[in-house]
Amino acid sequence: MGNLLGIGKEGRKPTADLFLDFENAQPIESEVEVHAQVASVLTKSASIIRELDEYKGAGEQIRLAISNASDENLQNAAWLAVCPLVGKLKEFWMYSADIQSVLPVILEALVAKDPLNCLREKQAITKQFAEIIQFVMRFDDLKMNNPAIQNDFSYYRRMLSRQKITKGGAEEQAVVSSEDANRMSLFYAYPTPMLKILSDATASFVSENQEIPIENTTDCLSAMANVCRVMIEPEFASRFTNPQTVVFCQQVLVGTIILYDHVHLVGAFSKKNTSIDVPKAIKALKLHTNPEVEGLMNALRYTTKHLNDEDTPKSVKALLA
């Protein structure tokens, strides 16, 4: 953004002020290699979101086929309609593996040493991490609001099993094999599959890199959440040159809170958590009236891990009621 923002992490000295520039950050020499690796993955994210947003499903063809089980033409029409759609679902699933593989690269760059210094010095990689979080939020929101995905996939699996019994060679000709379909079913069974991938990959990174204090990872997430919360407050949001940057910060704010809640032992909502001021974050979100806000509020209500814990203050629960 044109005017950089500063925010100090609570409990730290003023010299720990953190600046993030989501609008203008460019990789410096020490970031170039990691930035290029992450960029090769992120370049596909826009098309994935566009295709998911345009996903209409084969509901009518499936309904007709089920209602007329003896009509071979309708069975074939439903199969021909659903196969390319399941091919798209496979593409989405395979992209989740790309996200999973690149996340440890980002985390190592941002949390191997003092996370606040890393966030400050590696602005371009920080922006890429934010873009991955934004992608996850958008993907899961679209997936949760499109029942056609599960309907199409369930129908495909049923028909594939039936064809394996009645037709030889059906497996070899299938757009998605039974083995891949089983793996995909585990992915799509979750209401928020990309968040599941992101939180699992983060947890794996922490467990596999025990020489890096877990606090480095959670401090990175809380710092990003705190900065994004300040950036969407009116006095600062007015400084953006692109209005969509506010939406971006809203999505990253909620995404980092949710991810923190999934990887931190007591979560983001506990009275013991002093790293993220969740009430202030919720109030900052409610200051805006853009269409994305309600979906983000629902993400906090329904996709967090610790919101309904006994240790969550009633005042926080009331803000999300």
Side-chain angles (χ1 to χ4, degrees), residues 248-270:
F248 178 82
C249 290
Q250 290 173 328
Q251 292 166 330
V252 176
L253 166 60
V254 172
T256 48
I257 290 174
I258 294 172
L259 187 55
Y260 182 100
D261 192 56
H262 277 262
V263 302
H264 193 277
L265 183 62
V266 300
F269 301 96
S270 171

Side-chain angles (χ1 to χ4, degrees), residues 9 12 15-20 28 30-31 109-123 126 216 219-220 223:
K9 185 178 184 299
R12 292 182 181 266
T15 53
D17 282 353
L18 175 62
F19 299 87
L20 294 180
I28 58 176
S30 62
E31 295 179 278
L110 295 180
V111 309
K113 298 179 181 179
D114 182 347
L116 290 185
N117 284 336
C118 289
L119 289 173
R120 184 186 303 110
E121 296 169 2
K122 299 177 180 180
Q123 295 272 313
T126 300
N216 284 20
D219 281 356
C220 174

Side-chain angles (χ1 to χ4, degrees), residues 22-319:
F22 285 145
E23 289 191 333
N24 301 308
Q26 296 295 323
I28 58 176
E29 184 176 355
S30 62
E31 295 179 278
V32 169
E33 183 177 351
V34 170
H35 188 273
Q37 185 176 350
V38 178
S40 68
V41 172
L42 276 172
T43 190
K44 306 173 190 176
S45 64
S47 64
I48 295 288
I49 292 297
R50 183 177 63 254
E51 290 172 4
L52 181 57
D53 189 34
E54 295 172 353
Y55 190 100
K56 303 303 180 186
E60 181 62 17
Q61 294 93 330
I62 292 172
R63 185 187 66 79
L64 289 172
I66 293 174
S67 301
N68 301 273
S70 61
D71 190 321
E72 194 64 25
N73 289 331
L74 289 177
Q75 307 308 308
N76 289 335
W79 180 249
L80 291 174
V82 84
C83 280
L85 294 171
V86 171
K88 286 295 181 186
L89 297 181
K90 181 180 180 180
E91 180 184 346
F92 302 159
W93 167 66
M94 292 178 67
Y95 187 65
S96 73
D98 294 339
I99 294 291
Q100 187 176 32
S101 67
V102 82
L103 186 67
V105 178
I106 294 176
L107 290 175
E108 185 173 1
L110 295 180
V111 309
K113 298 179 181 179
D114 182 347
L116 290 185
N117 284 336
C118 289
L119 289 173
R120 184 186 303 110
E121 296 169 2
K122 299 177 180 180
Q123 295 272 313
I125 295 175
T126 300
K127 180 182 177 182
Q128 287 181 318
F129 187 26
E131 288 171 339
I132 286 177
I133 293 171
Q134 181 204 34
F135 166 80
V136 167
M137 297 298 296
R138 294 178 67 191
F139 183 97
D140 285 349
D141 182 60
L142 289 170
K143 186 266 180 183
M144 280 193 296
N145 287 287
N146 194 341
I149 291 173
Q150 287 286 54
N151 293 340
D152 290 350
F153 191 57
S154 296
Y155 179 80
Y156 176 85
R157 294 187 73 196
R158 291 198 306 272
M159 293 304 296
L160 181 61
S161 297
R162 186 179 304 173
Q163 290 188 19
K164 286 172 64 178
I165 297 173
T166 61
K167 299 180 181 179
E171 177 77 13
E172 289 75 14
Q173 299 174 17
V175 64
V176 173
S177 68
S178 294
E179 183 178 354
D180 280 347
N182 289 336
R183 294 172 180 170
M184 288 170 61
S185 68
L186 296 176
F187 175 76
Y188 285 109
Y190 285 95
T192 54
M194 284 292 179
L195 174 62
K196 171 70 172 169
I197 291 291
L198 198 64
S199 59
D200 284 354
T202 303
S204 294
F205 174 84
V206 170
S207 65
E208 293 169 8
N209 296 272
Q210 295 187 12
E211 73 280 5
I212 301 175
I214 187 174
E215 292 80 8
N216 284 20
T217 301
T218 53
D219 281 356
C220 174
L221 295 172
S222 62
M224 290 181 67
N226 289 332
V227 172
C228 287
R229 186 255 301 167
V230 172
M231 291 167 80
I232 66 172
E233 291 175 349
E235 62 179 301
F236 294 107
S238 62
R239 303 183 189 183
F240 291 123
T241 57
N242 181 355
Q244 283 302 306
T245 306
V246 173
V247 178
F248 178 82
C249 290
Q250 290 173 328
Q251 292 166 330
V252 176
L253 166 60
V254 172
T256 48
I257 290 174
I258 294 172
L259 187 55
Y260 182 100
D261 192 56
H262 277 262
V263 302
H264 193 277
L265 183 62
V266 300
F269 301 96
S270 171
K271 297 174 183 177
K272 300 174 184 177
N273 169 42
T274 59
S275 297
I276 301 176
D277 193 327
V278 173
K280 280 188 178 180
I282 296 171
K283 291 174 183 176
L285 282 169
K286 289 182 174 181
L287 291 174
H288 299 270
T289 58
N290 51 293
E292 292 81 3
V293 170
E294 186 57 29
L296 293 172
M297 295 293 290
N298 284 335
L300 288 172
R301 292 180 183 114
Y302 305 122
T303 68
T304 48
K305 185 176 181 180
H306 294 282
L307 175 61
N308 293 318
D309 288 0
E310 291 183 3
D311 199 36
T312 300
K314 292 182 179 179
S315 58
V316 173
K317 293 179 179 180
L319 285 171

